[in-house]
């Protein structure tokens, strides 16, 4: 793409009118709303529930697509969609498409009637034009195209396009727009910025993060910071190798959240830090069918020599990996890139080897099987193969296999100051093995994040400070107050058929960020109104504080997470504790109370019932419902307590510190440090035999994250996937609308609707509506204030419906519709008056034209007759003249002919009289001699006839 890349004009995108191809007339189109369908019910047809009805609406193939009205009746309206299908809809609730809806505007807030239908249709129009980015005010909506988009023979992410956005030669919606806006705001306002990227798995969050980081690195690039920028960029693919995996929805899904803070000094990158959230540890030991473990495992197996060295001879026999292993070129390239990134963050070849040994050790640990011992129910190593796997894992990890085996097969209890050794059964041994594997891998991941931070978090490196060629200026007294641009790649709202502990934490994080999102949008509107001097006190802030208090506790409530922490105490299996946990939720928030006989509902709405908590009507004892901002989610508490508290024995926790590898010992310290930091910061009293609460850690880190975001100026990117099949050029309207609801985009619409939806500059508004003045109004005054006064009196409206700002006028949508209708009537009335005058003038002109045409025709007829007479006379004269000339020529020719004939006759007569007249004497004599010879010859030959002739 050339450097003078420009956005195509809006008129080039699509016609603002829909024209019937047969009649050529403009079509009036409406949004097809499946909710308005008239069901064809029989007396036996049961009424569908709200959830099934909502699902059927989202799955309709014509959801909010344009349709036309074929026939309108009192009871229904017969409509036809683009493919010719006919539907019966309720008549009174159809929304008509506007010209802006058909164009696919770059900013949906500029639509005259913004709604779910217009928002969805705008995204659909732009998606089919390969315009995957759309603005919704300060929010960027990104639709994953599942293909490479090329315009003008170049990628839309090329260096030339970066330069165009950096030099403000292009303003079309793009990731570069958000990155450049954040970068410029940091420089001009001297305030830290944040870019919050959210969306479901497969929506393109990871790619968006990489593109934004590349833009920031390119924009702030200098010779002195090129190495640091390369290290910052290298951190992303490295974390992808250890924290991303292939899922059913995405081939490169981030299974953790990350917040990358890029520190900027003097316009250049001077350092960065990475914070991670909620690594999916369950994936390390178990994956559902069709999904894979983390990329790094398969990258090791792609190198045959390396896998043989690590003892990974049979990939399909590894229990921690999916059984159908397929070697791919992508994993081979990924391993090369991973090694390069490890090198960029300062790890030597020997350190890399140790890291790969730890990863391989996790795989070997998964092949350790257990059986019941012969003498009792205690667990034992299953067979020789399992023993070899354990020994190989311990060898790679630098640990003693006997100590590890003992720690897994037994449990040490401190009772009354005495130490008791308790044997573990098979299930307990397998749980401890999996917990140990998750401990090893999560510690490695935390260590990598820490190592990356220690490499890239260097505001003033010694080389930069001591280099005589350095052109950077350093403020040694202000190293802790550097501004930064934070890029948050966080998981989006999730709702599946079965929602577990991970979904609860993910939706809790989204609930927390949604409150920050709503508050920011409200503050943006508030700032605009205050800047324009407009009253904004009537606009309400949609606060989801009640749902957050339900989850994290507050206002005298312990919350779901606190209840989950308390469910660990007491005796019982994990399943029994899950049942106890849900029972307590129903008691605290569902309005039920327990008795010795049964569980009965409390009477009275105020008796502990929470508005955001529901109990399923038909449920087992492990289900509960939470009403989030994006809708209600039903959670199944299967393994909640065990996942929340990873109960590792002290032996397994400390055994990592006995490794013979110094790097391994350093890696295991990160798990201990994290646990100690959390325990010291927690205000709740915890048992010494109890593990670290994952929910409490997540809550603490999330509160810290939101606190950091509160100190920044946020920029939002909502990533959306167009379909579940991961195919290009396929826009599933129901799936997209569901994600828009989960992303909180409708809150932006609500705030805009609740406020003044139409904002127009004074001059533009006056030029548009001053035609509503009559002659009396024009005599009384002019200007925007006089226009508003006159129209307010004429329409009987007050200042609540519209207000005059310093540079813009703010109108409610209903008033804008009235003004447009009034202006349309005025234009129509003026058009009729002008039409009558025009027809009178046309008639007068037509009469004059006909009269002048008749006179012209008569004059032309007279001239024609005169011309014909002249031509006749001329032709007759020419005829006579030619005839006289002919006669004279004929006489002359005859005279000449007769004279010639007389001469010829005289010559012939003379020739008859004397044939030898013209010959000389000599010629006659010669002739005579010749004749005599001929005679003699004839006589000699006795040819008497010839002789007679001679």
């Amino acid at each position: 793409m050339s450097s003078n890349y420009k956005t195509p004009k809006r008129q080039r995108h699509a016609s603002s009118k829909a024209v019937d191809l047969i009649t050529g007339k403009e079509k009036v189109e409406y949004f097809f709303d499946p909710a308005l369908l008239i069901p064809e019910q029989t007396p036996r047809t049961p009424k569908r529930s709200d959830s099934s009805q909502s699902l059927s609406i989202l799955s309709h193939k014509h959801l909010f697509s344009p349709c036309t009205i074929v026939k309108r009746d009192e009871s229904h309206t017969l409509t036809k969609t683009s493919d010719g299908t006919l539907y019966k809809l309720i008549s009174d609730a159809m929304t008509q498409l506007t010209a802006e809806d058909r164009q696919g505007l770059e900013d949906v807030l500029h639509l005259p009637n913004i709604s779910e239908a217009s928002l969805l249709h705008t995204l659909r129009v732009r998606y089919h034009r390969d315009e995957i980015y759309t603005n919704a005010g300060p929010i960027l909506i990104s639709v994953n195209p599942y293909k490479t988009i090329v315009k003008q023979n170049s990628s839309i992410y090329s260096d030339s396009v970066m330069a165009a956005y950096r030099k403000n030669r292009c303003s079309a919606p793009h990731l570069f727009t958000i990155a450049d806006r954040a970068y410029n705001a940091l420089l001009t306002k001297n305030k830290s910025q944040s870019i919050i990227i959210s969306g479901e798995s497969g929506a393109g969050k990871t790619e968006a993060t990489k593109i934004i980081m590349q833009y920031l690195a390119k924009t702030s690039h200098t010779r002195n910071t090129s190495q640091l920028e390369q290290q910052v960029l290298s951190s992303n693919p490295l974390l992808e190798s250890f924290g991303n995996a292939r899922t059913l929805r995405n081939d490169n899904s981030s299974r953790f959240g990350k917040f990358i803070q890029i520190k900027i000094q003097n316009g250049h990158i001077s350092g960065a830090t990475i914070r991670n959230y909620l690594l999916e540890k369950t994936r390390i030991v178990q994956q559902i069918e069709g999904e894979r473990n983390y990329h790094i495992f398969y990258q090791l197996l792609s190198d045959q020599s390396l896998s043989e060295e690590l003892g990974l001879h049979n990939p399909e026999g590894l229990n921690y990996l999916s059984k159908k292993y397929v070697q791919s070129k992508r994993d081979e390239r990924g391993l090369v890139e991973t090694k390069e990134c490890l090198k960029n963050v300062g790890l030597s070849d020997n350190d890399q080897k140790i890291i790969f040994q730890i990863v391989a050790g996790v795989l070997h640990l998964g092949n350790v099987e257990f059986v019941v011992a012969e003498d009792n129910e205690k667990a034992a190593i299953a067979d020789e193969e399992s023993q070899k796997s354990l020994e190989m894992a311990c060898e790679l990890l630098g640990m003693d296999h006997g100590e590890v085996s003992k720690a897994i097969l037994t449990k040490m209890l401190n009772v009354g100051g005495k130490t008791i050794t308790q044997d573990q059964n098979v299930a307990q041994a397998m749980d401890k093995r999996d917990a140990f594997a998750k401990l090893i891998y999560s510690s490695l991941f935390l260590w990598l994040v820490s190592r990356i931070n220690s490499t890239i978090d260097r505001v003033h490196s010694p080389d930069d400070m001591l280099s005589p060629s350095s052109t950077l200026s350093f403020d040694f007294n202000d190293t802790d107050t550097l501004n930064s641009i934070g890029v948050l790649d966080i998981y989006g709202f999730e709702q599946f058929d079965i929602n577990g502990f991970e979904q609860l934490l993910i939706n809790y994080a989204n609930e927390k960020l949604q409150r920050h999102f709503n508050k920011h949008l409200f503050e943006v509107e508030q700032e605009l109104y205050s800047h324009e001097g407009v009253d904004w006190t009537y606009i309400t802030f949609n606060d989801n504080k009640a749902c957050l208090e339900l989850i994290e506790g507050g206002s005298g409530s312990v919350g779901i997470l606190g209840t989950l922490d308390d469910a660990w105490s007491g005796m019982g299996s994990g399943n029994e504790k899950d049942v106890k946990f849900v029972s307590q939720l129903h008691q605290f928030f569902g309005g039920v109370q327990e008795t010795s006989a049964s569980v009965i509902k409390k009477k009275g709405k105020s008796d502990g019932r929470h508005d955001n908590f529901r109990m399923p009507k038909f449920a087992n004892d492990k289900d509960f419902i939470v009403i989030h901002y994006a809708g209600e989610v039903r959670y199944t508490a299967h393994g909640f307590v065990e996942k929340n508290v990873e109960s590792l024995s002290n032996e397994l926790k400390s055994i990592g510190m006995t490794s013979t590898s110094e790097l391994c010992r350093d890696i295991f310290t990160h798990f201990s440090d994290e646990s100690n930091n959390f325990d010291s910061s927690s205000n709740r009293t915890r048992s010494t035999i109890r593990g670290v609460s994952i929910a409490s850690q997540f809550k603490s880190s999330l509160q810290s994250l939101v606190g950091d975001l509160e100190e920044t100026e946020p920029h939002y990117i909502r990533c959306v996937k167009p379909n579940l099949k991961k195919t290009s050029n396929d826009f599933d309207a129901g799936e997209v609308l569901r994600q828009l609801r989960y992303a909180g985009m409708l809150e932006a619409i609500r705030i805009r609707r609740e406020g003044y939806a139409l904002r127009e500059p004074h001059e533009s508004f006056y030029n548009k509506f001053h035609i509503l003045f009559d002659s009396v109004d024009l005599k009384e005054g002019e200007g925007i204030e006089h226009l508003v006064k006159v129209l307010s009196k004429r329409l009987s409206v007050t200042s609540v419906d519209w207000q005059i700002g310093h540079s813009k006028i703010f109108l409610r949508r209903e008033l804008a519709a009235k003004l447009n209708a009034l202006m349309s009537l005025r234009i129509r009335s003026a058009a009729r008056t002008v039409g009558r005058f025009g027809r009178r003038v046309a008639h007068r002109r037509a009469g004059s034209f006909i009269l002048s045409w008749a006179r012209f025709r008569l004059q032309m007829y007279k001239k024609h007759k005169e011309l014909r007479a002249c031509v006749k006379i001329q032709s007759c004269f020419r005829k006579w003249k030619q005839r006289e000339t002919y006669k004279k020529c004929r006489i002359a020719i005859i005279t000449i002919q007769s004279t010639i004939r007389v001469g010829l006759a005289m010559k012939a007569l003379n020739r008859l009289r004397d044939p030898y007249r013209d010959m000389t004497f000599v010629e006659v004599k010669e002739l005579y001699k010749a004749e005599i010879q001929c005679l003699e010859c004839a006589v000699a030959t006795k040819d008497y006839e010839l002789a007679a002739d001679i």
Side-chain angles (χ1 to χ4, degrees):
M1 187 176 293
S2 59
S3 59
N4 57 352
Y5 170 85
K6 294 183 179 179
T7 307
K9 293 184 179 179
R10 183 182 302 168
Q11 289 78 5
R12 298 178 186 174
H13 287 168
S15 173
S16 60
K17 296 182 180 180
V19 180
D20 192 287
L21 298 178
I22 299 177
T23 63
K25 297 181 180 180
E26 181 180 356
K27 292 192 298 185
V28 179
E29 295 181 315
Y30 299 85
F31 288 116
F32 180 83
D33 189 354
L36 304 179
L37 280 171
I38 299 178
E40 297 181 358
Q41 292 186 347
T42 62
R44 294 183 179 181
T45 303
K47 185 178 179 181
R48 293 184 298 178
S49 63
D50 294 339
S51 59
S52 62
Q53 185 176 4
S54 176
L55 182 61
S56 64
I57 291 174
L58 291 179
S59 61
H60 202 286
K61 65 178 181 178
H62 296 298
L63 177 64
F64 294 143
S65 62
C67 67
T68 55
I69 294 179
V70 178
K71 181 181 177 181
R72 191 185 294 272
D73 199 352
E74 294 182 358
S75 59
H76 69 274
T77 299
L78 185 63
T79 60
K80 182 173 70 173
T81 57
S82 58
D83 60 356
T85 309
L86 298 178
Y87 295 97
K88 289 183 180 181
L89 302 181
I90 301 174
S91 302
D92 300 331
M94 297 183 65
T95 304
Q96 183 176 342
L97 266 78
T98 63
E100 291 79 4
D101 292 327
R102 299 188 184 95
Q103 291 174 5
L105 302 183
E106 294 180 349
D107 194 333
V108 294
L109 294 188
H110 292 165
L111 293 171
N113 185 22
I114 183 170
S115 60
E116 276 190 350
S118 59
L119 171 62
L120 181 64
H121 185 65
T122 298
L123 294 179
R124 175 165 42 209
V125 171
R126 294 180 61 82
Y127 175 79
H128 290 306
R129 292 200 304 248
D130 283 343
E131 296 174 353
I132 59 175
Y133 298 113
T134 305
N135 288 329
I139 310 162
L140 180 69
I141 303 175
S142 171
V143 183
N144 192 344
Y146 290 117
K147 65 178 182 181
T148 302
I149 297 180
V150 178
K151 291 186 178 180
Q152 299 181 9
N153 299 323
S154 180
S155 170
I156 60 174
Y157 308 111
S158 61
D159 292 343
S160 57
V161 179
M162 284 189 187
Y165 278 92
R166 186 69 190 101
K167 297 177 182 178
N168 295 325
R169 290 202 298 265
C170 186
S171 59
H174 200 287
L175 292 173
F176 295 159
T177 307
I178 300 297
D180 191 67
R181 185 189 305 164
Y183 181 76
N184 290 331
L186 181 140
L187 297 180
T188 56
K189 299 180 181 180
N190 195 25
K191 182 180 180 180
S192 294
Q193 307 291 307
S194 61
I195 301 175
I196 302 174
I197 307 173
S198 63
E200 295 187 356
S201 177
K205 303 186 301 297
T206 302
E207 292 299 319
T209 302
K210 290 191 289 188
I211 292 170
I212 287 177
M213 291 178 63
Q214 289 171 2
Y215 182 85
L216 294 175
K218 189 75 174 179
T219 301
S220 61
H221 175 74
T222 61
R223 184 182 61 182
N224 295 325
T225 60
S226 58
Q227 182 182 1
L228 177 59
E229 291 162 357
Q230 183 61 38
Q231 291 173 339
V232 172
L233 294 178
S234 297
S235 65
N236 208 54
L238 182 57
L239 292 178
E240 285 184 17
S241 296
F242 287 85
N244 287 27
R246 187 181 72 187
T247 64
L248 297 178
R249 297 185 177 184
N250 187 7
D251 291 339
N252 188 32
S253 176
S254 296
R255 308 316 299 164
F256 69 103
K258 61 177 177 290
F259 184 49
I260 305 174
Q261 286 182 297
I262 303 175
K263 300 178 182 179
I264 307 294
Q265 185 180 43
N266 298 329
H268 306 296
I269 294 179
S270 60
T273 56
I274 300 175
R275 293 164 58 183
N276 65 292
Y277 304 94
L278 193 64
L279 177 69
E280 186 183 8
K281 299 179 183 179
T282 306
R283 182 172 296 273
I284 302 171
V285 299
Q286 183 181 6
Q287 310 93 43
I288 64 175
E289 185 177 358
E291 295 191 350
R292 299 202 320 175
N293 211 322
Y294 291 103
H295 292 327
I296 186 62
F297 293 112
Y298 303 92
Q299 291 176 6
L300 292 184
L301 296 175
S302 65
D303 190 336
Q304 186 175 0
S305 61
L306 179 60
S307 60
E308 291 288 339
E309 181 182 353
L310 297 175
L312 304 174
H313 306 290
N314 182 20
E316 294 185 355
L318 299 173
N319 296 334
Y320 281 169
L321 300 185
S322 53
K323 298 303 180 183
K324 296 180 180 179
Y325 170 74
V326 178
Q327 188 172 357
S328 67
K329 296 293 184 181
R330 179 183 297 180
D331 293 329
E332 295 179 7
R333 295 192 298 269
L335 179 61
V336 175
E337 186 178 16
T338 299
K339 290 181 178 179
E340 185 65 26
C341 293
L342 289 172
K343 183 178 179 181
N344 289 335
V345 297
L347 292 177
S348 63
D349 293 340
N350 186 51
D351 292 339
Q352 296 181 29
K353 182 179 179 180
I354 296 176
I355 290 175
F356 295 150
Q357 288 178 350
I358 294 175
V359 175
V362 173
L363 294 178
H364 284 292
L365 196 61
N367 281 10
V368 180
E369 300 288 348
F370 303 96
V371 294
V372 179
E374 297 180 357
D375 52 348
N376 50 30
E377 295 182 355
K378 70 177 182 178
I381 303 297
D383 49 27
E384 186 178 352
E385 291 296 328
S386 297
Q387 184 65 31
K388 289 181 179 180
S389 297
L390 178 61
E391 293 175 358
M392 188 64 187
C394 294
E395 180 182 350
L396 293 173
L397 296 172
M399 302 176 186
D400 181 73
H401 70 275
E403 295 294 331
V404 174
S405 177
K406 181 180 178 182
I408 294 177
L409 297 176
T410 61
K411 183 178 181 180
M412 306 294 291
L413 297 177
N414 293 322
V415 179
K418 298 181 179 180
T419 302
I420 302 176
T421 302
Q422 180 181 3
D423 294 327
Q424 303 288 283
N425 57 33
V426 174
Q428 292 172 339
M430 293 181 65
D431 289 340
K432 293 181 72 174
R433 176 204 63 187
D434 292 342
F436 189 46
K438 290 187 283 186
L439 165 66
I440 296 171
Y441 191 84
S442 59
S443 299
L444 174 61
F445 186 79
L446 292 173
W447 179 84
L448 279 175
V449 174
S450 176
R451 182 56 185 260
I452 292 173
N453 287 334
S454 64
T455 304
I456 63 178
D457 187 15
R458 51 183 186 90
V459 178
H460 306 309
S461 67
D463 295 337
D464 290 336
M465 292 186 294
L466 301 177
S467 175
S469 60
S470 176
T471 58
L472 299 176
S473 60
F474 300 102
D475 185 2
F476 294 93
N477 296 323
D478 195 30
T479 58
D480 296 332
T481 59
L482 280 178
N483 292 324
S484 63
I485 298 178
V487 181
L488 177 63
D489 179 1
I490 198 72
Y491 11 68
F493 188 86
E494 291 186 354
Q495 182 180 13
F496 304 117
D497 295 336
I498 300 178
N499 301 283
F501 179 66
E502 291 80 6
Q503 280 69 47
L504 177 63
L505 294 185
I506 288 173
N507 293 340
Y508 165 50
N510 279 270
E511 197 77 47
K512 198 83 171 178
L513 293 175
Q514 183 64 26
R515 187 171 192 270
H516 178 264
F517 173 72
N518 295 348
K519 185 178 179 182
H520 172 69
L521 288 183
F522 181 76
E523 290 176 350
V524 169
E525 292 289 296
Q526 174 183 335
E527 182 180 356
L528 175 61
Y529 291 157
S530 300
H531 179 72
E532 291 287 338
V534 175
D535 182 22
W536 52 271
T537 55
Y538 60 89
I539 301 178
T540 59
F541 169 53
N542 190 11
D543 196 354
N544 58 344
K545 183 179 179 181
C547 184
L548 287 174
E549 289 182 348
L550 169 66
I551 298 175
E552 66 184 9
S555 300
S557 172
V558 67
I560 294 177
L561 300 183
T563 305
L564 181 60
D565 288 346
D566 294 336
W568 174 259
S569 59
M571 302 298 292
S573 63
N575 183 61
E576 294 173 345
K577 292 180 179 180
D578 289 334
V579 174
K580 174 185 175 183
F581 161 64
V582 176
S583 176
Q584 289 177 342
L585 292 183
H586 291 173
Q587 180 181 357
F588 294 157
F589 311 111
V592 301
Q593 61 183 1
E594 291 191 14
T595 65
S596 58
S598 62
V599 178
I600 61 174
K601 288 189 176 181
K602 292 182 180 180
K603 297 181 179 180
K605 186 175 180 180
S606 59
D607 296 336
R609 185 177 301 175
H610 199 284
D611 293 335
N612 292 81
F613 186 87
R614 295 286 185 275
M615 293 185 300
K617 295 180 180 179
F618 305 98
N620 54 39
D621 51 4
K622 289 187 179 182
D623 288 5
F624 62 95
I625 297 175
V626 176
I627 302 177
H628 295 277
Y629 72 93
E632 64 177 41
V633 180
R634 180 169 178 164
Y635 297 98
T636 301
H638 179 69
F640 266 43
V641 176
E642 291 183 352
K643 291 180 180 179
N644 182 46
V645 181
E646 293 183 337
S647 54
L648 286 171
S649 64
N650 294 329
E651 293 80 8
L652 285 177
K653 289 181 182 180
S654 60
I655 202 169
M657 303 304 297
T658 63
S659 174
T660 57
S661 171
E662 182 180 355
L663 182 59
C664 284
R665 293 195 300 271
D666 187 25
I667 289 174
F668 276 95
T669 57
H670 283 75
F671 178 82
S672 301
D673 292 343
E674 184 185 38
S675 302
N676 294 334
N677 291 337
F678 170 75
D679 290 337
S680 61
S681 61
S682 176
N683 294 325
R684 298 176 57 85
T685 304
R686 306 192 180 277
S687 172
T688 57
I689 64 172
R690 171 173 161 175
V692 180
S693 169
I694 301 299
S696 298
Q697 291 184 67
F698 188 74
K699 173 184 174 181
S700 177
S701 61
L702 186 61
Q703 289 175 344
S704 175
L705 171 64
V706 174
D708 292 341
L709 294 178
E710 292 288 348
E711 299 177 358
T712 65
E713 180 179 337
H715 308 267
Y716 294 94
I717 299 176
R718 293 294 190 251
C719 296
V720 177
K721 54 184 177 184
N723 57 75
L724 295 176
K725 297 177 290 185
K726 298 185 285 188
T727 57
S728 60
N729 302 321
D730 183 9
F731 190 89
D732 187 344
E735 178 64 21
V736 173
L737 181 59
R738 181 187 64 81
Q739 293 176 72
L740 292 175
R741 290 175 177 176
Y742 287 177
M745 292 305 304
L746 301 184
E747 181 62 21
I749 297 176
R750 185 199 67 81
I751 292 178
R752 177 58 67 94
R753 277 179 170 176
E754 190 172 295
Y756 295 114
L758 180 66
R759 303 99 185 269
E760 197 164 352
H762 291 172
E763 183 179 358
S764 175
F765 182 83
Y766 186 83
N767 293 336
K768 184 177 181 180
F769 293 104
H770 79 282
I771 61 175
L772 298 178
F773 276 140
D774 54 26
S775 57
V776 178
D777 297 329
L778 288 173
K779 293 179 180 178
E780 293 178 355
E782 292 182 352
I784 186 69
E785 295 183 356
H786 181 61
L787 176 61
V788 171
K789 180 180 178 181
V790 170
L791 295 180
S792 297
K793 184 177 180 181
R794 188 174 300 175
L795 298 174
S796 300
V797 297
T798 62
S799 59
V800 177
D801 296 296
W802 58 359
Q803 294 191 40
I804 303 176
H806 300 314
S807 61
K808 296 180 181 179
I809 184 168
F810 295 77
L811 297 87
R812 288 192 179 276
R813 192 169 303 281
E814 296 78 7
L815 179 58
K818 291 181 181 179
L819 289 176
N820 289 325
L822 190 61
M823 185 178 63
S824 178
L825 291 174
R826 174 59 63 89
I827 293 175
R828 196 176 304 166
S829 176
R832 286 197 294 265
T833 303
V834 173
R836 288 194 298 269
F837 174 76
R839 286 191 293 273
R840 189 180 301 115
V841 172
H843 292 162
R844 189 180 303 154
R845 290 181 178 178
S848 300
F849 175 77
I850 293 173
L851 183 60
S852 60
W853 180 80
R855 290 172 180 171
F856 170 74
R857 293 300 297 172
L858 291 174
Q859 186 69 19
M860 290 299 294
Y861 181 70
K862 182 178 179 182
K863 287 181 177 292
H864 180 66
K865 290 180 66 177
E866 292 176 353
L867 180 61
R868 290 182 63 186
C870 292
V871 171
K872 188 69 174 177
I873 293 172
Q874 289 176 354
S875 62
C876 291
F877 175 75
R878 286 193 297 269
K879 177 183 178 182
W880 174 81
K881 187 175 181 181
Q882 291 295 331
R883 185 172 182 78
E884 290 299 320
T885 304
Y886 170 74
K887 288 180 179 180
K888 290 180 181 181
C889 291
R890 184 173 180 273
I891 294 172
I893 290 171
I894 292 173
T895 302
I896 295 172
Q897 287 177 347
S898 62
T899 304
I900 294 174
R901 282 195 294 271
V902 170
L904 293 175
M906 288 300 293
K907 288 182 178 181
L909 179 63
N910 292 333
R911 190 178 295 110
L912 291 174
R913 288 178 179 177
D914 187 5
Y916 310 110
R917 182 178 179 179
D918 295 333
M919 300 177 63
T920 62
F921 176 77
V922 178
E923 292 174 346
V924 173
K925 187 177 179 180
E926 292 292 331
L927 179 62
Y928 174 74
K929 290 180 179 181
E931 290 295 330
I932 292 296
Q933 290 178 358
C934 289
L935 181 60
E936 290 176 355
C937 289
V939 174
T941 60
K942 296 180 181 183
D943 189 359
Y944 300 110
E945 290 182 4
L946 179 60
D949 290 337
I950 297 173

